[in-house]
Amino acid sequence: LGDFRKAVQSATLSSPAGTRFLSTVTGKVASSDLADPEYWVKHVAQTVRFADAMAAVEAEGVDAFLEVGPEPTLVKMGKRCVSGANYQWLSSVEGKDAKVAEAQAAEEAAAVL
């Protein structure tokens, strides 16, 4: 983790403006800790609390979920973690053209949100 710590310490970090961020490190809303390099070291080293974070998202009243990446892995996991059925799930692009279309799909999905 030493090399990762050095790399993240050299990065310019900030908390997202105008957006709540639910941490899979704590399972709760994160804020200024996102700008702390040690948060990201913990993110790599500790157990992922995905179900806790999804429960927190559901408790916040969120009804749309967006995953940006080459496979819809987290969308599939997320559907198993929440109790309601009235959610909009926006998944990433699948297949060999994923890298080319990923940015466009993210932009379109974000417009829906």
Side-chain angles (χ1 to χ4, degrees):
L1 288 177
D3 289 342
F4 179 77
R5 180 177 277 111
K6 286 178 187 175
V8 77
Q9 286 173 335
S10 70
T12 302
L13 304 174
S14 63
S15 297
T19 302
R20 286 185 314 242
F21 185 94
L22 284 124
S23 169
T24 57
V25 173
T26 64
K28 300 176 183 175
V29 174
S31 57
S32 61
D33 43 342
L34 297 175
D36 180 359
E38 284 306 308
Y39 170 85
W40 296 103
V41 172
K42 288 178 188 175
H43 198 282
V44 170
Q46 293 182 353
T47 301
V48 173
R49 298 182 62 181
F50 185 77
D52 292 338
M54 289 301 295
V57 168
E58 188 173 30
E60 290 279 323
V62 173
D63 61 0
F65 299 89
L66 168 63
E67 177 183 4
V68 178
E71 300 292 332
T73 305
L74 298 177
V75 165
K76 292 174 184 177
M77 288 172 50
K79 288 179 179 181
R80 295 179 182 162
C81 294
V82 295
S83 59
N86 296 322
Y87 295 112
Q88 185 168 14
W89 298 94
L90 304 167
S91 62
S92 54
V93 178
E94 295 183 61
K96 63 182 178 181
D97 297 324
K99 289 187 181 201
V100 175
E102 186 174 312
Q104 179 182 354
E107 183 179 324
E108 291 171 4
V112 171
L113 295 174

